Each structure stands twice: as structure tokens, then as C-alpha cells.
């Protein structure tokens, strides 16, 4: 299990308002009965899964009071592939198992709010933490616990969970920014293989924004018909042409080096 912690997101940055709106639309979890789910307790009260708007309000209040906060996002990797391979019944049991592990782990016992984003995806608010190193260590442990294989009907099913982390003040000072950045961190963790913890990395986010800009330039060149194929003869030792090599060329203005263009086309799935 790889639970690498990089201090410092991934994917194109979205407007803060959009990040909040996406979470505000998330459904509430039906989980309420601790006798069935074994929910943990925090400060003498039963921990329960709240709605995303409730988490947003709690984080807003904590930041307004000047407390230091962290947000984690736990998301099951390749859920669609799991459902396809094992069926939705097994997929639902994996989600339930992940939720039980989440609620009973020591790192979430002290969480202020746990909110369900959608099935298999949970947001955790840690309000007023004092030791960043302890938080990072427990978040890494949580990623490992959530990604451990599950034994279902005598069959061991592997279902890893990616965990993203964003905390104040280095990753943002507003709820919207923290949510935006924790989503990016989680997506990056998935792209790097899943089953790990990654913190928001602003340098990585900047590189992704640059790659997005390059992809836009490549798409524009495609729309304008700037790409051409040139054929370079291949000759033998006698100087006799025995074939030709096809080479891609871009004749448009402000075109990227062809090696970068091909890499972008491959990464984006355009070729």
C-alpha cells in the first residue's frame, strides 16, 4: 500500500462558487442509527454522517472563529469497474464496508463533521487540529485501512480508496478553496494509482493548468487543419528507396514542438 504524503493538487482549478455548489447538491446520507452501523462517538455524542451543506456551514463557522481546519476526501477507486466485475450487490457491500471502516477509525472519531458526497465518497472536516504531523500520520493510516481487501462471501475483493487532504492556511483560507483543493488532491491520488493519501500541491496544479492550455492550442490547430503528414524516404545502402516514414508536422502559428504535441494527444486520448 502506497500512502505517500506530498505537502502541497491536481486537475484544472474550478471557480470557488462552483466547488461549493457541487457539494451543496450532494445528497444526505440515510445513515442515522448507530445501533446498526456502529458509529463512533465524538465529545460524548454519536458521530453521524451529515449533508455537504452542513459540512460547509461547520467549516465556515470554524474559519470565522479563527480555528485551523483540515478537509479530507475519501473516494473509492474504480467503482464502475468493481460494479461491472462483481455486480452492484457486491459494490454496495464494499461501500457499506468502507463507511464502517471510516466511521470507526481513530482519525475520524475526533472529526467535527463527516459528510457523504455520493456513494463511496466521503468528506471529513477536522476542526481545530493542533498537530499537523499527527494529522498527516493518521490520514495516511486511514488511507491504508480503507484500502485493505474485503472478504465478501468467501471471496477477497480488492477496492482501494484514494484520500485527498487540504488544510489551512497553506492550502486555502476559505471553505470553497479547501473543497476545491481537496478534490484536486484526490483526483491526483487516483491518477497516480489510487489507494494512497496525497495533499494538495500548488506546483502540480500549475503544471496541469499549463498542460490544459497546451491541449487547447493543439485542439485549435486540429480545428484549423494545421497538421500535415510528411513522408521521408527510407533508403538502403545502395541509395534505393525501400519505403517511407510518415512524420507529423504542424504549420500553424504558435505551434508546440511536435514531441510535446504527440504527448498531449496521447494523454488526452485523441490518438
Amino acid at each position: 500500500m502506497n500512502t505517500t504524503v506530498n505537502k502541497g493538487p491536481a486537475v484544472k482549478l474550478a471557480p470557488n462558487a462552483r466547488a461549493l455548489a457541487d457539494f451543496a447538491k450532494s445528497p444526505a446520507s440515510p445513515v442515522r442509527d448507530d445501533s446498526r452501523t456502529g458509529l463512533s462517538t465524538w465529545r460524548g455524542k454519536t458521530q453521524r454522517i451529515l449533508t455537504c451543506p452542513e459540512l460547509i456551514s461547520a467549516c465556515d463557522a470554524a474559519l470565522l472563529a479563527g480555528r485551523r481546519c483540515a478537509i479530507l476526501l475519501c473516494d473509492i477507486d474504480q467503482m464502475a469497474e468493481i460494479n461491472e466485475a462483481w455486480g452492484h450487490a457486491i459494490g454496495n457491500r464494499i461501500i457499506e464496508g468502507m463507511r464502517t471502516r471510516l466511521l470507526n477509525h481513530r482519525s475520524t472519531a475526533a472529526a467535527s463533521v463527516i459528510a457523504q458526497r455520493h456513494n463511496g465518497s466521503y468528506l471529513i472536516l477536522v476542526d481545530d487540529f493542533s498537530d499537523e504531523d499527527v494529522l498527516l500520520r493518521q490520514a495516511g493510516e486511514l488511507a491504508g485501512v480503507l484500502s485493505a481487501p474485503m472478504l465478501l462471501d468467501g471471496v477477497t475483493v480488492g477496492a482501494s480508496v484514494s484520500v485527498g487532504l487540504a488544510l489551512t492556511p497553506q492550502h486555502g483560507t476559505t471553505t470553497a478553496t479547501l473543497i476545491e483543493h481537496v478534490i484536486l488532491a484526490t483526483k491526483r491520488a487516483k491518477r497516480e494509482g489510487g489507494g494512497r493519501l496525497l495533499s494538495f500541491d500548488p506546483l502540480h496544479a500549475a503544471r496541469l493548468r499549463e498542460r490544459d492550455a497546451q491541449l487547447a492550442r493543439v485542439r485549435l490547430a486540429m480545428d484549423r487543419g494545421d497538421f500535415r503528414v510528411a513522408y521521408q524516404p527510407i533508403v538502403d545502402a545502395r541509395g534505393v528507396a525501400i519505403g517511407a516514414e510518415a512524420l507529423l508536422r504542424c504549420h500553424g502559428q504558435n505551434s508546440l514542438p511536435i514531441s510535446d504535441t504527440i504527448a498531449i494527444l496521447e494523454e488526452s486520448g485523441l490518438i
Side-chain angles (χ1 to χ4, degrees):
M1 182 59 58
N2 187 343
T3 54
T4 304
V5 176
N6 290 335
K7 289 190 178 181
V11 179
K12 185 177 180 181
L13 291 175
N16 289 345
R18 178 181 174 184
L20 280 178
D22 288 344
F23 270 81
K25 293 177 182 177
S26 301
S29 167
V31 176
R32 290 288 185 253
D33 184 359
D34 61 296
S35 64
R36 290 188 299 106
T37 61
L39 304 187
S40 59
T41 59
W42 176 70
R43 294 182 183 175
K45 66 178 182 181
T46 300
Q47 181 63 286
R48 64 191 183 98
I49 297 178
L50 305 181
T51 65
C52 288
E54 288 175 303
L55 182 141
I56 291 171
S57 297
C59 190
D60 283 342
L63 294 176
L64 184 63
R67 298 194 296 271
R68 196 173 182 202
C69 297
I71 292 181
L72 296 93
L73 177 59
C74 306
D75 196 274
I76 297 177
D77 299 319
Q78 299 179 314
M79 197 64 226
E81 288 80 358
I82 291 173
N83 286 330
E84 183 177 348
W86 298 97
H88 287 276
I90 292 294
N92 290 336
R93 291 179 63 184
I94 289 174
I95 292 173
E96 290 294 329
M98 179 253 197
R99 179 166 56 190
T100 299
R101 289 176 175 179
L102 176 67
L103 290 167
N104 286 287
H105 192 263
R106 62 175 181 168
S107 66
T108 58
S112 300
V113 176
I114 301 175
Q116 180 173 327
R117 187 183 178 205
H118 52 70
N119 279 341
S121 183
Y122 294 89
L123 196 69
I124 303 168
L125 169 65
V126 181
D127 182 356
D128 200 23
F129 68 91
S130 57
D131 192 322
E132 182 176 330
D133 290 335
V134 171
L135 174 65
L136 290 171
R137 184 174 66 252
Q138 292 191 353
E141 292 174 0
L142 176 63
V145 168
L146 295 180
S147 296
M150 296 184 186
L151 184 62
L152 301 175
D153 296 334
V155 178
T156 301
V157 180
S160 63
V161 176
S162 292
V163 180
L165 172 66
L167 42 89
T168 57
Q170 58 265 49
H171 301 152
T173 56
T174 67
T175 302
T177 301
L178 290 173
I179 288 175
E180 177 185 339
H181 289 174
V182 79
I183 292 173
L184 299 182
T186 307
K187 288 183 176 180
R188 180 185 171 202
K190 288 179 176 292
R191 282 197 305 273
E192 295 190 7
R196 67 190 67 199
L197 165 73
L198 284 181
S199 295
F200 175 77
D201 180 357
L203 295 179
H204 185 76
R207 290 193 295 270
L208 286 170
R209 289 195 295 270
E210 175 62 22
R211 183 49 62 98
D212 281 348
Q214 292 175 341
L215 176 59
R217 290 167 61 183
V218 170
R219 288 184 179 277
L220 180 60
M222 293 174 63
D223 292 340
R224 292 188 308 215
D226 291 341
F227 290 106
R228 300 285 189 274
V229 177
Y231 295 94
Q232 178 173 296
I234 300 175
V235 299
D236 61 15
R238 298 168 299 169
V240 178
I242 58 174
E245 181 181 11
L247 304 173
L248 182 66
R249 294 286 183 260
C250 185
H251 301 282
Q253 294 182 344
N254 300 319
S255 60
L256 296 171
I258 201 65
S259 58
D260 292 342
T261 299
I262 293 175
I264 291 170
L265 289 171
E266 291 176 339
E267 289 179 8
S268 62
L270 292 175
I271 61 173

